Amino acid sequence: MSERQRVPTSATWAATVGYSRAVRVGETVYVSGTIALQPDGQIGPSGNVYGQAKRCLEIISEALEAAGATVQDVVRTRMYVTNVHDWADVGRAHGEFFADVRPATTLIEVAGLVDSDALVEIEAMAIIGSG
């Protein structure tokens, strides 16, 4: 059986919810849904869905690295938006980040996210060595 490696998160609600930023089992890394949490604990940039998507992807990249993976290893992403009309801005950030990787992906409109200032949440799955 493979050992489970956890990558912690600084989100204040992590202990209450009981989750990790990422979990690696074997060569597979699962990155939790990630909102644009800034180092000061605020969501941002405020009102800027493209900027928030970029921040989500930066956090995902850091979590992948902590788990021994890279962006090139990502095989699946899911993007959750509070307004489906924001798909182009979120998609542009995703496309810039995964230009050569091109993982399977889904974009879903949701009624809301864990913080009302969050406009987008992104999750990822990677298989180490697949890139």
Side-chain angles (χ1 to χ4, degrees), residues 11-26:
T12 57
W13 49 84
T16 302
V17 176
Y19 80 101
S20 299
R21 169 62 43 227
V23 175
R24 175 180 174 173
V25 178

Side-chain angles (χ1 to χ4, degrees), residues 58-99:
E58 291 168 2
I59 295 168
I60 287 170
S61 178
E62 292 167 4
L64 289 166
E65 185 176 308
T70 69
V71 170
Q72 271 59 37
D73 294 321
V74 173
V75 296
R76 180 84 168 105
T77 61
R78 288 184 183 88
M79 300 171 280
Y80 304 92
V81 295
T82 57
N83 183 337
V84 74
H85 299 292
D86 288 335
W87 76 267
D89 288 331
V90 173
R92 180 167 52 101
H94 186 277
E96 291 168 0
F97 201 78
F98 293 111

